[in-house]
Amino acid sequence: MIKYPNGGVPQRRSYSPDDGKELVRPLKHKKRGPGPEHKIQDGIIEMLSLNGFKTWRINVGSVEMKDGRRFHAGPEKGFPDLCGYRKSDGKMFFIEVKTKTGKRRPAQEFFAKEVAMDPVIYGVARSPEEALMIVQRGLNRTEDKK
C-alpha cells in the first residue's frame, strides 16, 4: 500500500446510489511508474522542445460525481496524445504516440481521416526520432507506418 510522507493513504471516493453518502475506501494497488507509452511521450516532448517546437501533452480523465454520473474532462475520444506548433511558420501538429506494437483505436483512426482534410501535420510516432521527422518534414501521415 502506498503511503504519503504525511502518513496519508490514497483513497477511492465514490457515492452510494441509494442515499448519496460518500463512500471512502483505501486504494489497493501497488505503486507503478509511467507506462511505456508515457515514457515515449516524455521523450518526444523533450526532443521536439530541444528542436524549437512548442509541444503539449493532452490530458484526459473522469471522476464519479455524487449522483453517480461520470464527469469526463479533456478533448473528445480519438484526439492525439500530443499537439503543438512549429515556431518557424506557426503550423499546427498532432502526434499520436504508440509503442512498437500499439494500434490505434477506431476513434483515433477517425480523427486522422478528419484532420487529413486540413493543412496540419499529423502522424503516429513510436519514437522521439520518428516524431521529429514527422514535424520537421510537415507530414500528414494518416496511415500507420510500422
Side-chain angles (χ1 to χ4, degrees), residues 65-84:
M65 299 189 320
K66 283 187 178 184
D67 61 6
R69 294 180 299 142
R70 295 208 64 85
F71 171 75
H72 298 280
E76 62 186 52
K77 288 184 179 188
F79 198 86
D81 300 303
L82 303 173
C83 72

Side-chain angles (χ1 to χ4, degrees), residues 88-117:
S88 60
D89 60 2
K91 188 128 181 171
M92 288 289 301
F93 63 82
F94 300 92
I95 303 290
E96 183 61 51
V97 179
K98 292 292 176 196
T99 62
K100 289 183 181 180
T101 58
K103 295 182 180 178
R104 290 182 294 171
R105 296 186 310 273
Q108 293 169 331
E109 290 177 353
F110 178 77
F111 182 91
K113 288 177 185 169
E114 288 290 308
V115 80
M117 294 183 255

Side-chain angles (χ1 to χ4, degrees), residues 4-70:
Y4 292 111
N6 65 2
V9 174
Q11 298 175 339
R12 179 186 325 236
R13 295 181 183 273
S14 60
Y15 299 90
S16 169
D18 300 326
D19 57 10
K21 290 186 178 178
E22 185 176 29
L23 306 171
V24 179
R25 301 180 192 124
L27 289 177
K28 297 178 183 176
H29 70 279
K30 295 179 182 178
K31 185 175 181 179
R32 298 184 326 199
E37 194 172 289
H38 187 83
K39 290 178 183 178
I40 296 168
Q41 280 182 19
D42 289 345
I44 290 172
I45 291 170
E46 183 178 358
M47 174 75 80
L48 294 176
S49 296
L50 289 172
N51 283 277
F53 304 110
K54 197 71 173 162
T55 311
W56 294 277
R57 184 165 59 99
I58 307 303
N59 291 315
V60 297
S62 68
V63 63
E64 187 175 335
M65 299 189 320
K66 283 187 178 184
D67 61 6
R69 294 180 299 142
R70 295 208 64 85

